[in-house]
Amino acid sequence: MVTVSNDTLNGSSMQNSQIEPDGERPDDLINDSDYRSSERTDRSAESGFAATPSGNPEREFSTSLGREAADSLPASTESLRSTESSLGQSAANEKAVEGQFYTLDLRSIKAERLGNAIFTCLLLLGALVWVAIRWWTEGVDLFFQILAGASLILVTAFAVFSWIWPKKEFQYTQWRATNAGLEIHKGVIWRHRIIVPMSRVQHADVTQGPIQRLFGLGTLVVHTAGTSNASVDLAGIDHQAAIEVRDMIIRFRSGRQERHA
Amino acid sequence: MNPEIPLGGDKLPDLEAVPPDAAPIHPTWLHPSSLVFDLLSHFRQLLVPVGLAIFSAANGHATGMFIAFAFMVPAVLRSVFQYFTLRYMIDGGELVIRKGFLFRSLRTIPVNRIQNVDLVQNLLHRLLRVAEVRVETASGKETEARLRVLSIRQVEALRREIFREQEVLGKNTRDIVESESAPTEAVSNLASVDAQAGQTLLTIPMERLIRAGLASDRGMLLIGVVAGLYWQLDLENQFDLRGLLDFIPKFDGSVLNTLIWAVAIIGILLLLRIVGVFWYLLRFHGYRLSRYGEDLRVSCGLFTRVSATIPRKRIQFISIHRTLLMRWMGLAAIRIETAGSGGGQAENASSTVSRRWFVPVIPEEMLPGILAELRTELELNEQQLDWKPLAANALSRMVRKAVVFSILFGVAGYLANHTWGWIAGVVALPLLVWWARKKSKAMRYCRTEDKLVYRSGVLHRKTSMTFFDKVQTARFNQSPFDRRWKQARLVVDTAAAGPAEHVISIPYLDAGFADLEFQNISAIATTMQPDFG
């Protein structure tokens, strides 16, 4: 059990830990027991939204996420933080880290895998149908054997890939919503970090696909007036959390407008 | 109507010179000539039926004519119908456009959301003293509303209402237009002109347009057009090209033939430059940039006159372009971007001129003066900016890239020609390394209190800036290569649509520095209230 508070996120603790990005991950922490806890709400209210404009973080980012959930936050989150800081060492001490980063919901790995499994099955089915037709019409020749072997290997490779990839994505994705804006880090090979300042959000939606619904997940989509990043989405977080973040963004905007009026 | 304005030359009725109508606070029709222009705009679709009708009539067949009329009559009726059902007015701070009879549509555009009002006048428009009006908002890439066509007086009334310039227009404007030929073609100083009146910031004399045309590569368009025509009209099969080729003297080293070749090549290059000059003269003849309070107005064009009004606060992005030849001549061009329309396919004549060619050519020494007019307190002294260099190892990375590419060139050359092909790689290496050095030297980034500036380009130098209140998102990207070199790319997104052809996307930055800037930019942007309009 690890309690993550603001302290662990501040520069001092971050600089000292230098774990290479591709180094050891506590994979054992991402185990089945984690998946099963459907009440898991690691996006707890501890500090992430402490800076909401109307000031009361506990009330602002409330209830459905459960406060005790902070205890169940996987240690991997912490190691992610440390990992990130190894990138921007020089910047780490000057940077004012004001909000806590969250990982995706652990259930998102399972949801992704389910989606990928369905796709793999369809792929396999297609390959099988093709093989059957080819066998029926042309019989077995060398060309057939090569193609059948290749498609088998491809499907297997895809299956393996689609099993590993969601976990990789999970490991490299983190986000936070502070009064500075919504910040998302993602990408396994090509890494991206994006910040959408709160005042630039035009509107925000929460969407939920069928598989996501099965796992209680959602996608937060934030729209800006920009061109190349006109909408920024964050898929695979707890549905309730997505709704809370959306509401928080809306509150932020309306609060701001009142002040400017 | 003003009968004393003769038709011809630049004495054609100019948009600025006409006193406006009363404000369109009651539903107003378009100008009656709209009927004609609307039909003309559908002319292309009607071309076939009209041709068919003429053909049938010539052959004495009535059926063909009837079929043709079946196509033409609805088009005419539609134009008539559209004309009689379309009304516009300004009501309660909104531009209201009603149209349709059975299926009615009512479009209301809040005036304070209007990004700009563009006018286009081709020769026919100018003879009839009307103009096509395009109203743009920040939404999407489409023109929000198109009023085809309004009389100049109606246009002025509309513009005045939209931009609330009651005092500006009318007699004042006329005075300024008439005093335009005075030697104040430089940046006019604020004190001399009534702050409320429109002041001419910049006009471009013919001589400078010619120089800009000579410096531009616009003539290259000619090659494209010729090539296009060649394929389109299938000239290959219509002319005996072989015969033409025989006519061309062989490059055999004899003095006469070498001379002919040299003259021909110089002639073609000269021709391309001259085409460029003509293009500039056609497009930007009578260019005038003026300022009406908080609005900037650009108008230019020899035959088709374009006039665009852009509120200053709508400018998202300013980009200064200098090609090699322009730098030799001490010239520069300014492009601006506003939110929404423009960029890509949707770009129309007016937005092209007013954004992509906002200031088509300006001498270096006048640049700071004009920039200061584009945004309050905008000062840009490119030499004195605190330019931040790329990562220390950026040059090494670029040189390595150059080496890899030259090896690839060499291998490709070798595969093509086993004896001499590899020389391609040897030749490419110093050139690419030189290019990499130049490129890394040119690429600089700078953050000041209010803006971000990025410059890049070896031959075609571009310096672009955006402002914190225009920044939409900040992005920090790392490719696997970037990670290996501990570098990153910093990207700043704005609502600007892209006619400046330069985005703030800075590669090869030190990863730590890029991350710091990424955090800083978003932190500053958050504190600035954005202007969604």
Side-chain angles (χ1 to χ4, degrees), chain B residues 198-345:
Chain B
Q199 46 169 151
T200 302
L201 302 177
L202 181 76
T203 56
I204 303 177
M206 182 91 89
E207 164 267 334
R208 199 182 298 149
L209 274 182
I210 292 172
R211 280 204 292 160
L214 286 176
S216 85
D217 294 328
R218 275 281 134 183
M220 291 296 172
L221 278 182
L222 186 70
I223 293 179
V225 168
V226 168
L229 276 181
Y230 182 78
W231 296 117
Q232 282 284 311
L233 303 178
D234 201 19
L235 292 181
E236 199 174 9
N237 296 330
Q238 309 212 354
F239 289 115
D240 185 11
L241 270 183
R242 292 261 170 69
L244 211 64
L245 282 174
D246 288 339
F247 181 70
I248 295 171
K250 293 277 169 300
F251 194 75
D252 55 5
S254 76
V255 180
L256 182 68
N257 281 355
T258 315
L259 209 68
I260 290 175
W261 270 87
V263 168
I265 288 171
I266 291 171
I268 287 172
L269 287 178
L270 215 63
L271 182 70
L272 292 181
R273 293 288 138 185
I274 289 169
V275 170
V277 170
F278 273 114
W279 190 84
Y280 265 78
L281 288 178
L282 217 61
R283 221 60 201 278
F284 305 117
H285 176 81
Y287 175 93
R288 192 167 74 246
L289 171 67
S290 40
R291 182 170 160 190
Y292 294 75
E294 280 300 296
D295 300 322
L296 296 164
R297 189 173 293 179
V298 180
S299 60
C300 61
L302 184 59
F303 296 124
T304 297
R305 271 197 89 76
V306 168
S307 169
T309 310
I310 303 148
R312 262 174 14 133
K313 63 173 184 173
R314 304 288 194 224
I315 296 176
Q316 303 273 337
F317 195 86
I318 302 173
S319 191
I320 303 159
H321 286 228
R322 301 178 180 96
T323 61
L324 184 67
L325 284 171
M326 285 174 98
R327 272 183 287 139
W328 286 349
M329 295 187 192
L331 299 173
I334 305 175
R335 296 184 180 196
I336 60 163
E337 294 193 356
T338 55
S341 66
Q345 294 292 310

Side-chain angles (χ1 to χ4, degrees), chain B residues 185 202 208 211 329-332 359 361-368:
Chain B
E185 62 114 5
L202 181 76
R208 199 182 298 149
R211 280 204 292 160
M329 295 187 192
L331 299 173
V359 177
V361 53
I362 183 171
E364 281 291 342
E365 64 272 13
M366 282 161 69
L367 197 57

Side-chain angles (χ1 to χ4, degrees), chain A residues 100-161:
Chain A
Q100 180 195 322
F101 275 101
Y102 298 102
T103 60
L104 292 181
D105 195 299
L106 274 169
R107 287 169 290 171
S108 73
I109 302 178
K110 216 172 185 186
E112 282 278 306
R113 281 180 182 166
L114 179 61
N116 287 347
I118 292 168
F119 187 74
T120 314
C121 285
L122 287 176
L123 210 64
L124 189 67
L125 198 70
L128 283 177
V129 166
W130 177 81
V131 164
I133 290 172
R134 182 68 212 254
W135 194 12
W136 187 259
T137 53
E138 317 260 325
V140 179
D141 53 6
L142 182 67
F143 185 62
F144 172 81
Q145 285 169 341
I146 293 171
L147 279 182
S151 50
L152 193 70
I153 291 169
L154 271 178
V155 169
T156 319
F158 187 78
V160 171
F161 172 80

Side-chain angles (χ1 to χ4, degrees), chain B residues 94-163:
Chain B
E94 284 177 331
L95 172 63
V96 183
I97 299 171
R98 272 171 215 281
K99 57 182 168 186
F101 178 66
L102 288 177
F103 297 92
R104 292 186 191 182
S105 93
L106 172 77
R107 170 168 283 192
T108 57
I109 307 165
V111 163
N112 57 7
R113 298 275 157 153
I114 291 175
Q115 293 271 340
N116 31 54
V117 175
D118 294 346
L119 305 179
V120 180
Q121 275 190 303
N122 61 27
L123 269 184
L124 194 54
H125 286 128
R126 287 168 77 184
L127 287 174
L128 293 169
R129 306 171 62 81
V130 293
E132 191 178 318
V133 181
R134 293 181 183 136
V135 175
E136 314 246 6
T137 63
S139 78
K141 299 215 164 208
E142 287 289 303
T143 299
E144 189 68 45
R146 182 183 291 229
L147 296 170
R148 182 165 51 204
V149 293
L150 297 185
S151 75
I152 300 302
R153 286 154 165 273
Q154 287 176 309
V155 168
E156 270 320 324
L158 186 69
R159 273 219 283 217
R160 189 182 63 179
E161 200 56 32
I162 288 176
F163 297 109

Side-chain angles (χ1 to χ4, degrees), chain B residues 272-464:
Chain B
L272 292 181
R273 293 288 138 185
I274 289 169
V275 170
V277 170
F278 273 114
W279 190 84
Y280 265 78
L281 288 178
L282 217 61
R283 221 60 201 278
F284 305 117
H285 176 81
Y287 175 93
R288 192 167 74 246
L289 171 67
S290 40
R291 182 170 160 190
Y292 294 75
E294 280 300 296
D295 300 322
L296 296 164
R297 189 173 293 179
V298 180
S299 60
C300 61
L302 184 59
F303 296 124
T304 297
R305 271 197 89 76
V306 168
S307 169
T309 310
I310 303 148
R312 262 174 14 133
K313 63 173 184 173
R314 304 288 194 224
I315 296 176
Q316 303 273 337
F317 195 86
I318 302 173
S319 191
I320 303 159
H321 286 228
R322 301 178 180 96
T323 61
L324 184 67
L325 284 171
M326 285 174 98
R327 272 183 287 139
W328 286 349
M329 295 187 192
L331 299 173
I334 305 175
R335 296 184 180 196
I336 60 163
E337 294 193 356
T338 55
S341 66
Q345 294 292 310
E347 206 171 274
N348 52 45
S350 52
S351 63
T352 304
V353 165
S354 57
R355 263 74 96 198
R356 189 182 292 273
W357 301 100
F358 182 65
V359 177
V361 53
I362 183 171
E364 281 291 342
E365 64 272 13
M366 282 161 69
L367 197 57
I370 290 295
L371 285 177
E373 297 286 345
L374 298 189
R375 193 181 158 96
T376 329
E377 291 168 19
L378 174 61
E379 272 180 47
L380 188 84
N381 190 332
E382 285 175 64
Q383 271 78 46
Q384 286 169 18
L385 279 179
D386 179 24
W387 291 110
K388 295 282 186 299
L390 302 178
N393 57 1
L395 182 59
S396 323
R397 182 174 167 190
M398 287 157 95
V399 166
R400 191 172 294 184
K401 210 166 156 187
V403 170
V404 169
F405 269 98
S406 354
I407 291 171
L408 285 179
F409 274 127
V411 170
Y414 178 74
L415 290 178
N417 181 339
H418 285 281
T419 35
W420 296 109
W422 54 273
I423 288 184
V426 178
V427 174
L429 183 64
L431 284 176
L432 288 177
V433 169
W434 173 81
W435 188 265
R437 288 187 73 90
K438 280 283 191 187
K439 196 173 153 189
S440 76
K441 244 190 207 160
M443 229 179 243
R444 288 286 183 273
Y445 158 81
C446 170
R447 173 166 61 87
T448 69
E449 257 169 49
D450 61 330
K451 62 181 174 291
L452 297 162
V453 195
Y454 170 52
R455 79 161 202 231
S456 70
V458 177
L459 295 178
H460 189 162
R461 295 247 168 99
K462 298 170 183 177
T463 307
S464 299

